């Protein structure tokens, strides 16, 4: 049961902690041309996407304001850094970006100014100073073969495996940011030469997975704000993904869904059907099998998302998508279910896929039901 008074008490107690960094959220937003009204609009939208009642909007704003009281240590393992890049590389920062920067990132391999020995010193200092209080965010899968030697970090050449375990030990909460740290990622593709794995496989603490290659800023910031609000991890599905973000399929809210239902498919990229925004299922869209909120939240200030841009979803927030969803531009049904031929009528494909998708949803719901939400 969500108790708003408890949340308010928690935020009041966080306010008493020293702020890390000198500016208030108000100053940061004003400097970037955002008004109080924009900020409240943003918190209202975030409350909705976190699945909270509208009454929580003001406390979401308060939580964002105290997010510089919660130390965050951010590690990079085997990955492309796209998850951080997707948040920080914008010409006009969004409120999500600004809150991300405002969150007290005590240590972040990519964006910190320090390097070499100095960076290591800052890292060790943060672990000691905030023992038991910091949130650990990890980007990247962890190579495990040959004792983890495929990935070493810093001047001591410590393996990512060792650094991860050491950092996880005294973390208050652990968030796997991106599909790599959640499930291994592209480097875990067959034959997975480095033995790359999702971080939960090598830790004996609960890890919340925020997959996507990359995940949206909303899902990253939303999960961190949730932890600040409630001091605990949100309810999760059977893959430890927050239900507020990964509770529905891409297909459920896709703007091309009407065309899917009507049997109107794109057969060729660049065709008239493609220009008319027909469904991309026959060009390999994996939206019916993928649990994520891209079709609702989109990317870059709600501007667009893969299907809107004209390519099918490749299922990037699902475990093993690099192997199980390939080839990306062919329907899954073509190679998994031989009864459907490539030239089957659109209706037949549509009906069969709807049934498959129904099964996927039922299985998802059943597994989630067995495992009670970790609230
Ligand atoms: Fe992985 Fe993120 Fe994909 Fe890249 O760090 S989820 S390869 S977008 O960068 O981890
Ligand atoms: Fe949208 Fe893909 Fe579903 Fe078609 S198959 S409606 S493009 S999610
Ligand atoms: Fe990934 Fe599909 Fe969203 S490819 S970004 S889950 S639309």
């Amino acid at each position: 049961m969500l108790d708003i008074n408890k949340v308010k008490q928690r935020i009041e107690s966080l306010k008493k902690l020293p702020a890390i960094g000198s500016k208030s959220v108000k100053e940061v937003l004003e400097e970037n041309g955002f008004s109080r009204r924009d900020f409240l609009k943003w918190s209202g939208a975030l409350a909705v996407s976190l699945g909270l009642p509208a009454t929580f909007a003001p406390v979401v704003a308060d939580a964002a304001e105290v997010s510089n009281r919660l130390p965050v240590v951010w590690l990079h393992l085997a990955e492309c850094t796209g998850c951080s890049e997707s948040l920080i590389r914008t010409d006009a920062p969004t409120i999500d970006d600004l809150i991300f920067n405002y969150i007290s990132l005590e240590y972040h391999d990519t964006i910190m100014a320090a390097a070499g020995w100095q960076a290591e010193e800052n890292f060790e200092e943060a672990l000691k100073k905030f023992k038991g209080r910091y949130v650990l965010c990890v980007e990247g899968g962890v190579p495990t073969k040959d004792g983890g030697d495929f990935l070493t970090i810093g001047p001591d050449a410590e393996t990512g495996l060792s650094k991860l375990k050491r950092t996880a030990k005294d973390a208050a909460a652990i968030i796997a940011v991106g599909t790599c740290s959640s499930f291994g990622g592209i480097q875990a593709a067959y034959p997975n030469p480095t033995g790359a794995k999702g971080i939960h496989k090598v830790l004996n603490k609960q890890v919340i997975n925020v997959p996507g290659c990359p995940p949206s800023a909303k899902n990253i910031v939303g999960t961190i704000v949730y932890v600040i609000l409630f001091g605990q991890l949100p309810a999760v599905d059977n893959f430890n993904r927050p239900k507020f973000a990964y509770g529905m399929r891409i297909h459920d809210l896709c703007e091309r869904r009407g065309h899917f239902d009507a049997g109107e498919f794109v057969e060729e990229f660049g065709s008239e059907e493609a220009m008319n925004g027909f469904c991309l299922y026959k060009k390999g869209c994996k939206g019916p099998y993928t649990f994520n909120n891209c079709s609702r939240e989109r990317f870059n200030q709600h501007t667009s998302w893969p299907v809107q841009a004209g390519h099918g979803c490749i299922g990037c927030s699902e475990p093993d998508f690099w192997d199980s969803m390939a080839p990306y531009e062919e329907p899954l049904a073509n190679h998994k279910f031989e009864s459907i031929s490539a030239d089957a009528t659109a209706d037949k494909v549509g009906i069969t896929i709807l049934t498959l998708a129904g099964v996927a949803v039922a299985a998802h719901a059943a597994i989630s039901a067995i495992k009670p939400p970790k609230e």
Side-chain angles (χ1 to χ4, degrees):
M1 186 59 197
L2 300 170
D3 183 343
I4 196 162
N5 291 322
K6 262 195 188 160
V7 174
K8 284 182 181 163
Q9 276 168 18
R10 183 177 154 71
I11 291 173
E12 282 311 311
S13 62
L14 282 172
K15 272 187 193 161
K16 289 185 193 125
L17 295 173
I20 304 163
S22 54
K23 286 182 186 159
S24 69
V25 89
K26 189 170 166 271
E27 286 164 337
V28 172
L29 293 172
E30 268 172 11
E31 274 169 19
N32 287 278
F34 290 103
S35 64
R36 179 81 192 157
R37 198 188 152 94
D38 296 327
F39 180 50
L40 290 177
K41 221 168 113 191
W42 172 86
S43 359
L46 187 61
V48 171
S49 66
L50 290 174
L52 300 172
T55 45
F56 271 76
V59 285
V60 167
D62 290 346
E65 278 181 32
V66 296
S67 61
N68 61 349
R69 269 46 166 209
L70 190 83
V72 174
V73 172
W74 192 291
L75 291 186
H76 283 264
L77 303 177
E79 37 93 36
C80 79
T81 313
C83 306
S84 285
E85 295 278 343
S86 77
L87 268 168
I88 58 181
R89 293 276 178 242
T90 53
D91 56 344
T94 63
I95 297 187
D96 291 304
D97 307 328
L98 294 172
I99 297 296
F100 174 73
N101 288 330
Y102 177 72
I103 285 169
S104 67
L105 290 162
E106 267 303 300
Y107 176 92
H108 186 298
D109 288 321
T110 318
I111 57 178
M112 65 190 173
W117 295 110
Q118 200 199 343
E120 286 312 292
E121 234 173 78
N122 292 356
F123 172 74
E124 300 301 338
E125 190 57 26
L127 293 203
K128 258 192 257 151
K129 192 165 156 200
F130 302 110
K131 190 174 175 184
R133 273 215 299 131
Y134 58 88
V135 172
L136 169 62
C137 290
V138 183
E139 237 179 292
V142 56
T144 59
K145 245 183 218 165
D146 296 345
D149 278 349
F150 285 96
L151 172 73
T152 61
I153 304 166
D156 287 329
E158 180 176 12
T159 64
L161 182 61
S162 152
K163 195 162 186 174
L164 170 67
K165 286 187 174 170
R166 206 154 66 76
T167 316
K169 196 168 143 273
D170 295 316
I174 307 172
I175 303 175
V177 179
T179 300
C180 298
S181 50
S182 300
F183 307 125
I186 304 291
Q187 48 283 325
Y190 179 81
N192 192 0
T194 67
K197 291 181 178 170
I199 60 167
H200 68 277
K201 298 263 188 197
V202 302
L203 300 176
N204 51 13
K205 289 173 95 167
Q206 194 189 356
V207 174
I208 190 133
N209 291 327
V210 184
C213 189
S216 68
K218 270 252 152 18
N219 292 355
I220 302 173
V221 172
T223 306
I224 297 176
V225 167
Y226 192 101
V227 171
I228 296 170
L229 278 174
F230 299 104
Q232 62 183 30
L233 299 174
V236 292
D237 72 357
N238 50 314
F239 293 121
N240 276 331
R241 300 177 290 199
K243 282 188 181 169
F244 71 76
Y246 303 89
M248 286 178 86
R249 295 168 308 154
I250 295 291
H251 190 60
D252 295 329
L253 293 175
C254 177
E255 65 256 30
R256 299 186 188 227
R257 178 60 187 265
H259 293 296
F260 176 90
D261 292 342
E264 294 169 344
F265 296 97
V266 173
E267 306 273 350
E268 279 304 322
F269 288 123
S271 63
E272 210 181 313
E273 289 78 14
M275 283 191 279
N276 286 334
F278 282 11
C279 169
L280 294 159
Y281 176 75
K282 285 191 173 185
K283 293 306 284 174
C285 180
K286 306 299 187 295
Y289 318 99
T290 304
F291 288 82
N292 202 342
N293 55 3
C294 314
S295 47
R296 188 182 71 201
E297 301 294 341
R298 304 178 189 198
F299 288 77
N300 302 329
Q301 274 179 298
H302 211 79
T303 314
S304 189
W305 63 293
V307 166
Q308 186 178 339
H311 194 278
C313 164
I314 62 170
C316 79
S317 52
E318 291 300 310
D320 299 330
F321 85 88
W322 44 90
D323 288 331
S324 63
M325 300 287 187
Y328 295 138
E329 289 174 358
E330 275 177 32
L332 208 49
N334 275 0
H335 54 103
K336 276 214 160 152
F337 305 96
E338 284 165 15
S339 60
I340 302 175
S341 65
D343 62 354
T345 64
D347 272 4
K348 194 169 152 201
V349 173
I351 290 163
T352 314
I353 293 311
L354 281 177
T355 317
L356 290 174
V359 171
V361 169
H364 188 82
I367 299 166
S368 308
I370 297 167
K371 205 170 179 183
K374 294 160 188 162
E375 281 182 300

